């Protein structure tokens, strides 16, 4: 079953001087979503990354975000992120975890990544998704059926494909159209 995520792209890097706009641009240019938590050498697998991370960071606090990227996200899941101007992007996970330790990714503090197919949605999105950015972890699953439905419809619309089969009943006998659901609940997008 498709899961819905949101990621704060808020890197700090080892010197604490990473430009968030540059990190968002890197994600868009490389068609990935990702986080930092770099390790001292390029790992060959998720398990090796995990061991290197435990050696480097020690405590349990670091594990939550990489765990989501490495093990919990699945191909086909949807993920929201935003830039510093409040513009939202919606991506569909299309590949497995990768560790990118080239200079560009290190500078942007985006090394643990998942490839995505991504679309710029804008500033008008479902309130539940917006609210998920106000607190919480860097990577967080959004547990809300309506937000997932909205995201699937929006993804289908922007991709021009019907990747997600969406059926909603208006009442017992009548199916509601996707466009009506968006317009009634969130206005034109």
């Amino acid at each position: 079953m498709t899961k819905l995520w949101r990621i704060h792209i808020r890197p700090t890097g080892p010197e604490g001087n990473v430009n968030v706009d540059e990190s968002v641009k890197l994600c868009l240019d490389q068609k990935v979503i990702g986080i930092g938590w770099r390790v001292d050498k390029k790992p060959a697998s998720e398990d090796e990354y995990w061991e290197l991370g435990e050696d480097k960071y020690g405590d349990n606090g670091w594990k939550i975000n990489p765990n989501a990227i490495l093990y919990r996200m699945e191909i086909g899941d949807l993920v929201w992120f935003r830039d510093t101007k409040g513009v939202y992007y919606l991506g569909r996970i299309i590949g497995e975890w990768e560790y990118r330790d080239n200079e560009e990714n290190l500078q942007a503090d985006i090394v643990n990544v998942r490839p995505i197919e991504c679309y710029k949605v804008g500033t008008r999105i479902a309130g539940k998704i917006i609210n998920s950015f106000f607190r919480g972890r860097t990577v967080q699953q959004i547990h809300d059926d309506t937000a997932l439905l909205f995201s699937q419809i929006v993804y289908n619309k922007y991709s021009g494909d019907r990747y997600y089969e969406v059926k909603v009943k208006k009442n017992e006998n009548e199916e509601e159209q996707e466009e009506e659901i968006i317009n009634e609940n969130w206005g034109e997008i």
Side-chain angles (χ1 to χ4, degrees), residues 48-84:
E48 183 180 2
Y49 170 80
W50 202 258
E51 289 176 22
L52 292 167
E54 283 182 328
D55 289 345
K56 182 168 185 162
Y57 298 109
D59 68 8
N60 287 330
W62 75 277
K63 294 180 180 180
I64 294 168
N65 297 309
N67 180 51
I69 294 277
L70 272 70
Y71 300 115
R72 294 181 53 217
M73 285 184 176
E74 298 176 2
I75 293 174
D77 284 356
L78 290 167
V79 58
W80 287 95
F81 63 103
R82 66 182 179 181
D83 63 21
T84 58

Side-chain angles (χ1 to χ4, degrees), residues 106-138:
L106 290 170
Q107 286 298 318
D109 196 28
I110 304 288
V111 294
N112 286 289
V113 302
R114 298 293 298 259
I116 59 172
E117 184 175 304
C118 183
Y119 299 96
K120 180 179 179 180
V121 176
T123 58
R124 292 185 51 114
I125 66 169
K128 180 69 174 184
I129 297 163
I130 293 170
N131 291 341
S132 75
F133 281 88
F134 291 147
R135 63 184 189 290
R137 301 176 189 102
T138 300

